[in-house]
Amino acid sequence: MPNLSSAKTLPRRIKRLARTELRHYWQKAPLQPRTILYESFSGNGMLCQPEAIFRHLLERSDFQDYKHVWVLNDFDRYSEIIVEFADNPNVKFVKYLTNSYYRALSTSKYLINNVSFPTQFAKRPGQIYLNTWHGIPLKKMGYDIPGRAADAKNIVRNFLASDYLLSSSPAMTEEMYMQAFKLCNIFQGKIIEEGNPRVDRQFDAVAATKEFTERLRKSGSAVDDRKIILYAPTWKGESYFSPHNDGASLKALVTKIEKQIDTSKYRVMIKAHQVVSEAIGKIVSLKEYLIPNSMPTNVALGAADILITDYSSIFFDYLSRDRPVIFYIPDLEDYKRYRDLYVGPDELPGPVARSSKELVDILASLQDLNDVTPERRSKYLAMKEKYVPYEDGEASNRIVDIVLRSHHDGMKVKPGHTDGRQRILIYAGGMIPNGITTSALNLLDNIDYAKYDVTVLCPFSSTAEQQHSYAQINPKARLMFRFGTFNGGYVSNSLRLNVLKNGSNNWAAALQNQKALWESEWKRCFGDATFDHMIDFSGYTPFWGTLFLHGPAKSRSIWLHNDLAADAHRSIEGNKPLKDGLYATFSIYKKFDNLVSVSQGLKEINESSLQKWAPNARFCSASNTVNASKIRKMASLKIKSAKMKIDDRGNIDPILRSAIMGKLVAELIDPDLKISDDFTEDLKSHITREPFFTFFSAGRLSPEKNHSRLIKAFSMVHQVNPNTRLVIAGDGPLRQLLESEIIELGLTESVKLVGHTKNPYRLMNFADVFVLSSDYEGQPMVLLEALVLGIPVITTSFGSVSGALPSDVGKIVPPQVGNLAAAMLDESLRPSSNVYFNVRKYNQRAVKEFEQIIDN
């Protein structure tokens, strides 16, 4: 019987496939040499810099044969614009994200945008992309907003694809592009510092006022000759319907202002931020005050006699008028907690009102710029010189000549900045909680940022655990995300999946369409960016390594975190889940310059077992680094009842340490209990006459970790020394099997599986010994982490163990139950003293090993 669910979705799937094929077709079509695509705010009107450039081109006699394509997201809402150009055969409109849109985006020679093109955009060879942006930043942007790198992911991608970025001044170039969006070293285009086209119309006050009046009349708004007090607040919310922008608040403010001004001379008008303009426009009580969204902001600024704003960068444009600006910021402290500003209230070039009363008082006394204090006047002129020094009404003319005529002589056209550091691109893995993620984060905390410019690539995910990992990435690195998927048609993408499954030795890998597909994907993700060195730090799947092989770099490395031949043949319930992916990864090894194992012992194993896949000379090693300060900080614990802070296990009584471990374990096992920094009266229930001796282990519950051997060994120890217990942190496919084994051995009270925990270091810190029972490993970070905390270590002698532990530290035993049990029993009866591990010296050596690979 046919699958009804599949039948229902079939039309939708066919439609989606047809759209994909159509986009693929247009991406191969010839470029239209005299066609320009314009987009402002994802089609939310004919606005901002693109609108100014467009109208300038219509007036120039040398561009009369050019075709102009405008993107709008709603033809009904912007029907007035469409009607305006209905008789011009050179102007057409396409609806955002439709087939017509993607056709124009793929075939237009010139692309002009003031924000960003959508996820699937990849600039084609021969296209010229000018990103004008839409304002000088007053609010913090990009990477300057802590924890919000994901918000900038598509903007950074678009910037890197741009041939030209528009900047109002050297200050904007440095503060916004180079610092806030971290384009220094990787942006390959040019930055134009010649002013803002949208400001040009403000220099003819008569024409600006006339245009303003005509547009108001066409929109159905009342028109008169009163002076304009323009209120233009920014969008302050985290959603498109912020309570800060609701109609009641706006109407109340306008009413207060009107009570204090001469309404026969002044008229209050509101220019809502384009993000919320549609919602605000539906509020009847505001209709007479609202400037329609279709009217360019700079038309309104050209007609305004006084500007009231808050955190909007709109005031930078207004500086060219030499007219007064008032800053109304009653919610400054709240806003700073959310986003913060580059310019403090004391630096703003106009009076600052913290309440509506202050605002109306300022309005009552302010008639023109001469009414402000000399100090304010000085700040006004200084900010004008810093951020808008080149505004003269001719910016459009210069920018058109630069972009469309390639006239750079005498113009302020600068290449992207570089500071001479080597550029490294690192794919850090899926950023799920595991050893590779920990190793990547540690490397990023130990790398020399004075020497290396580091870009970290992650697959974007909104899951809590991956978002937590993203937040741990060192802020000195540039965090970028891959999101969206390949362009290209069904056939080429099907072949791609076949190659990723079967390896690059597959016949399909050599096809020209595969090379073009991967190169297009590189362009989609990174634009024109280039790197000196690329690193696939995960190394478990062929996808990321293959992507890196199609991007420009001087050298490439792939990391080997384990005995990968053994991993490929690891069986879980009769299946070998890693085999296909690893064999496909092995097939691209020969194209990498370095195959980097994480210890010398592991390098020897991988070199021997993988020698048919790449020359021996490509195999090398670089030890994982460790972040000692982070581990110690996470391991520390405040004990309120004991009135002490514990950050060193040697400073605590063994009975209290045993009790704390018992409480930590209980809280992890019982989902109704919440782990707290404070231990109060309930700690007493875990106090015993004699301390338990606690063995601790952490790792994924999978076959290669062989927790079964550890549990059996502990069973033998427990029979001799019943005052022992075993705590295992981690989760995985073998959990149910291990739980059954614990029950069978009668160890339910003394062996606890606590599952995955974000902070295993507290458990580790209050354990007596750390035990690893693996069959094979790379360089397990948990061993180093235990040593950082001074915890004695017992480990089985897997193949690469000689490089996994520093010399003369830890007990290494043969991988049999009896040998492991003997070492554990001996430790429980004759505990070792705290271990000293010189982590600084160790990290220095590990970083040097890493640098030798990069600098080679």
Side-chain angles (χ1 to χ4, degrees):
M1 183 175 178
N3 187 314
L4 293 179
S5 177
S6 296
K8 288 180 180 178
T9 61
L10 182 60
R12 187 166 66 249
R13 290 179 3 235
I14 292 174
K15 187 176 181 179
R16 184 170 61 246
L17 178 62
R19 286 200 304 266
T20 301
E21 290 297 326
L22 200 54
R23 288 204 300 265
H24 177 52
Y25 174 79
W26 290 123
Q27 286 162 359
K28 298 166 65 178
L31 294 177
Q32 303 301 307
R34 286 180 171 80
T35 299
I36 307 171
L37 175 77
Y38 306 85
E39 182 176 317
S40 291
F41 303 113
S42 301
N44 199 19
M46 182 184 281
L47 302 167
C48 199
Q49 315 272 31
E51 185 258 1
I53 294 171
F54 162 69
R55 292 187 182 276
H56 173 81
L57 285 170
L58 291 182
E59 295 174 357
R60 280 185 54 161
S61 59
D62 51 339
F63 287 98
Q64 292 306 300
D65 58 342
Y66 273 65
K67 307 292 184 184
H68 308 274
V69 182
W70 262 100
V71 178
L72 297 175
N73 58 27
D74 189 327
F75 280 11
D76 292 332
R77 185 183 180 196
Y78 302 114
S79 59
E80 179 185 330
I81 297 171
I82 296 173
V83 169
E84 180 183 353
F85 296 97
D87 296 330
N88 190 327
N90 287 346
V91 180
K92 65 177 291 188
F93 297 89
V94 294
K95 197 168 185 180
Y96 186 58
L97 299 184
T98 61
N99 289 333
S100 297
Y101 171 80
Y102 282 108
R103 175 182 179 177
L105 184 60
S106 298
T107 59
S108 299
K109 168 76 172 182
Y110 299 96
L111 308 173
I112 301 178
N113 202 323
N114 77 336
V115 185
S116 60
F117 290 115
T119 302
Q120 291 309 115
F121 167 68
K123 189 181 70 176
R124 293 178 58 192
Q127 286 187 312
I128 296 176
Y129 179 9
L130 166 65
N131 191 296
T132 68
W133 199 237
H134 52 270
I136 301 165
L138 173 62
K139 299 169 288 189
K140 288 198 172 179
M141 310 191 75
Y143 297 103
D144 284 348
I145 308 174
R148 300 281 293 278
D151 292 352
K153 62 183 187 296
N154 196 42
I155 295 171
V156 172
R157 194 181 69 86
N158 270 257
F159 284 167
L160 293 178
S162 300
D163 298 277
Y164 297 98
L165 296 176
L166 193 58
S167 172
S168 68
S169 65
M172 178 179 171
T173 298
E174 183 62 29
E175 292 175 7
M176 178 177 157
Y177 291 126
M178 295 301 110
Q179 295 180 12
F181 286 100
K182 295 188 177 182
L183 297 185
C184 182
N185 293 317
I186 63 170
F187 174 64
Q188 299 300 306
K190 292 180 170 58
I191 298 173
I192 303 173
E193 295 174 353
E194 287 288 355
N196 293 292
R198 64 172 181 240
V199 177
D200 287 352
R201 67 201 333 151
Q202 296 175 200
F203 279 82
D204 188 338
V206 175
T209 301
K210 181 181 178 182
E211 183 178 1
F212 178 77
T213 302
E214 288 177 353
R215 284 178 176 269
L216 280 184
R217 184 177 290 113
K218 286 181 179 179
S219 70
S221 299
V223 174
D224 57 48
D225 59 358
R226 289 179 293 173
K227 291 184 175 183
I228 303 297
I229 297 174
L230 178 63
Y231 180 42
T234 191
W235 170 52
K236 306 174 193 173
E238 296 183 62
S239 71
Y240 286 150
F241 299 98
S242 166
H244 292 282
N245 286 303
D246 67 20
S249 297
L250 284 172
K251 185 63 171 67
L253 181 63
V254 170
T255 300
K256 288 182 179 180
I257 292 173
E258 287 184 325
K259 288 180 178 179
Q260 297 297 322
I261 63 173
D262 184 348
T263 54
S264 67
K265 293 182 179 180
Y266 288 96
R267 177 183 184 183
V268 179
M269 301 205 74
I270 300 169
K271 188 71 169 81
H273 191 282
Q274 59 86 24
V275 168
V276 294
S277 60
E278 184 174 10
I280 296 298
K282 296 176 181 177
I283 300 173
V284 176
S285 63
L286 290 175
K287 184 172 177 57
E288 65 177 294
Y289 301 99
L290 284 178
I291 295 171
N293 186 61
S294 59
M295 183 186 295
T297 299
N298 293 84
V299 173
L301 290 177
D305 295 276
I306 297 175
L307 172 66
I308 303 171
T309 188
D310 43 21
Y311 318 107
S312 175
S313 61
I314 192 174
F315 86 85
F316 287 108
D317 287 8
Y318 197 64
L319 293 178
S320 66
R321 296 298 315 277
D322 283 333
R323 292 184 178 181
V325 185
I326 303 171
F327 296 90
Y328 176 52
I329 47 177
D331 54 349
L332 177 63
E333 297 310 316
D334 288 340
Y335 190 79
K336 287 178 70 174
R337 281 193 289 271
Y338 161 63
R339 187 158 177 181
D340 209 355
L341 308 172
Y342 289 114
V343 179
D346 294 339
E347 303 171 80
L348 292 171
V352 176
R354 295 297 187 93
S355 67
S356 57
K357 182 181 184 305
E358 286 185 24
L359 175 61
V360 296
D361 288 345
I362 292 170
L363 273 171
S365 64
L366 187 64
Q367 301 300 319
D368 58 43
L369 197 59
N370 292 322
D371 292 337
V372 302
T373 65
E375 181 185 6
R376 285 289 184 192
R377 175 66 177 167
S378 176
K379 289 177 180 178
Y380 191 105
L381 295 175
M383 191 158 286
K384 182 177 178 180
E385 177 62 26
K386 181 177 180 179
Y387 289 106
V388 288
Y390 309 128
E391 304 298 357
D392 59 1
E394 296 294 329
S396 297
N397 190 52
R398 292 190 293 270
I399 288 160
V400 164
D401 282 344
I402 292 167
V403 177
L404 274 68
R405 292 287 188 239
S406 297
H407 293 166
H408 292 185
D409 291 346
M411 302 288 194
K412 301 176 188 68
V413 182
K414 301 178 180 180
H417 293 194
T418 180
D419 57 20
R421 290 180 293 166
Q422 289 192 60
R423 298 160 300 171
I424 302 175
L425 173 64
I426 302 177
Y427 169 63
M431 301 305 284
I432 59 176
N434 61 21
I436 291 176
T437 296
T438 299
S439 298
L441 293 175
N442 289 346
L443 173 62
L444 294 170
D445 282 335
N446 282 286
I447 201 168
D448 184 356
Y449 288 96
K451 187 175 182 180
Y452 302 107
D453 178 287
V454 181
T455 300
V456 181
L457 176 64
C458 297
F460 179 73
S461 172
S462 58
T463 64
E465 62 180 17
Q466 284 163 293
Q467 288 288 323
H468 176 77
S469 295
Y470 301 152
Q472 307 306 306
I473 291 174
N474 193 300
K476 293 180 181 178
R478 177 189 302 106
L479 177 57
M480 292 184 65
F481 297 95
R482 180 183 178 269
F483 54 103
T485 190
F486 283 76
N487 291 304
Y490 175 80
V491 173
S492 57
N493 275 297
S494 296
L495 290 173
R496 168 178 63 85
L497 295 175
N498 181 277
V499 172
L500 288 175
K501 180 179 179 180
N502 297 305
S504 66
N505 296 329
N506 183 289
W507 62 271
L511 295 177
Q512 180 59 33
N513 74 353
Q514 289 300 289
K515 181 175 184 292
L517 185 70
W518 283 97
E519 288 178 349
S520 174
E521 179 63 6
W522 172 269
K523 285 282 189 179
R524 192 185 72 84
C525 294
F526 293 102
D528 296 326
T530 63
F531 298 90
D532 296 302
H533 198 90
M534 295 184 193
I535 296 171
D536 177 357
F537 191 78
S538 176
Y540 265 83
T541 61
F543 179 90
W544 302 97
T546 304
L547 179 63
F548 283 12
L549 290 171
H550 289 84
K554 295 178 181 178
S555 61
R556 299 170 179 83
S557 299
I558 189 167
W559 250 242
L560 286 63
H561 289 273
N562 216 329
D563 178 347
L564 293 184
D567 261 351
H569 292 93
R570 186 210 313 169
S571 177
I572 299 179
E573 297 181 350
N575 297 316
K576 296 180 180 179
L578 299 180
K579 183 177 179 181
D580 287 347
L582 281 174
Y583 267 71
T585 304
F586 298 161
S587 74
I588 62 174
Y589 275 1
K590 59 183 177 289
K591 299 179 182 180
F592 280 81
D593 300 280
N594 305 293
L595 309 175
V596 187
S597 294
V598 293
S599 69
Q600 178 61 28
L602 183 62
K603 176 253 183 185
E604 294 168 1
I605 292 171
N606 283 322
E607 184 178 10
S608 174
S609 61
L610 301 173
Q611 59 183 319
K612 75 173 185 177
W613 299 101
N616 285 357
R618 306 279 177 87
F619 290 87
C620 54
S621 67
S623 301
N624 286 318
T625 59
V626 62
N627 189 331
S629 59
K630 179 180 178 181
I631 292 168
R632 291 175 181 136
K633 181 178 180 180
M634 293 180 70
S636 66
L637 188 66
K638 295 177 182 177
I639 302 182
K640 188 174 181 180
S641 58
K643 295 183 179 180
M644 62 185 299
K645 178 182 176 182
I646 298 173
D647 53 15
D648 183 345
R649 65 190 302 271
N651 290 340
I652 186 171
D653 178 81
I655 292 178
L656 181 56
R657 183 168 72 239
S658 178
I660 292 171
M661 174 62 102
K663 179 168 171 56
L664 287 171
V665 169
E667 289 176 329
L668 287 170
I669 292 173
D670 188 343
D672 294 328
L673 292 173
K674 184 179 179 181
I675 295 179
S676 168
D677 283 346
D678 293 333
F679 285 77
T680 51
E681 292 301 312
D682 59 345
L683 182 61
K684 294 178 180 179
S685 65
H686 298 278
I687 298 289
T688 58
R689 291 185 178 181
E690 295 291 333
F692 282 101
F693 188 92
T694 305
F695 298 98
F696 177 67
S697 189
R700 181 170 167 77
L701 305 183
S702 52
E704 78 281 3
K705 302 295 184 180
N706 208 329
H707 290 100
S708 176
R709 176 166 56 207
L710 174 58
I711 292 169
K712 290 173 182 174
F714 174 78
S715 178
M716 297 172 64
V717 172
H718 193 62
Q719 290 177 26
V720 178
N721 184 358
N723 212 32
T724 53
R725 61 187 169 192
L726 171 63
V727 178
I728 301 174
D731 217 332
L734 299 186
R735 178 162 186 163
Q736 188 174 356
L737 189 65
L738 295 173
E739 287 174 340
S740 297
E741 188 170 2
I742 291 168
I743 293 171
E744 289 175 10
L745 292 172
L747 299 173
T748 54
E749 293 301 316
S750 55
V751 178
K752 300 297 182 183
L753 303 183
V754 298
H756 170 72
T757 172
K758 290 182 180 179
N759 185 4
Y761 304 118
R762 282 184 178 171
L763 291 168
M764 187 181 287
N765 199 32
F766 295 104
D768 293 281
V769 64
F770 183 88
V771 186
L772 195 67
S773 181
S774 295
D775 291 325
Y776 60 91
E777 290 273 2
Q779 186 192 26
M781 295 305 300
V782 287
L783 294 180
L784 298 180
E785 290 161 354
L787 294 178
V788 165
L789 295 174
I791 313 296
V793 168
I794 299 174
T795 178
T796 50
S797 57
F798 49 85
S800 61
V801 71
S802 60
L805 276 172
S807 58
D808 302 322
V809 174
K811 294 179 180 179
I812 302 173
V813 300
Q816 285 84 38
V817 172
N819 297 107
L820 183 58
M824 292 170 66
L825 179 60
D826 182 62
E827 187 67 31
S828 72
L829 298 175
R830 289 172 289 278
S832 302
S833 58
N834 279 9
V835 177
Y836 172 71
F837 171 42
N838 191 330
V839 66
R840 185 183 63 83
K841 185 176 180 180
Y842 169 85
N843 274 338
Q844 286 177 342
R845 177 175 61 81
V847 169
K848 185 176 180 181
E849 292 171 352
F850 172 82
E851 292 184 349
Q852 285 174 340
I853 292 167
I854 301 302
D855 298 340
N856 191 4

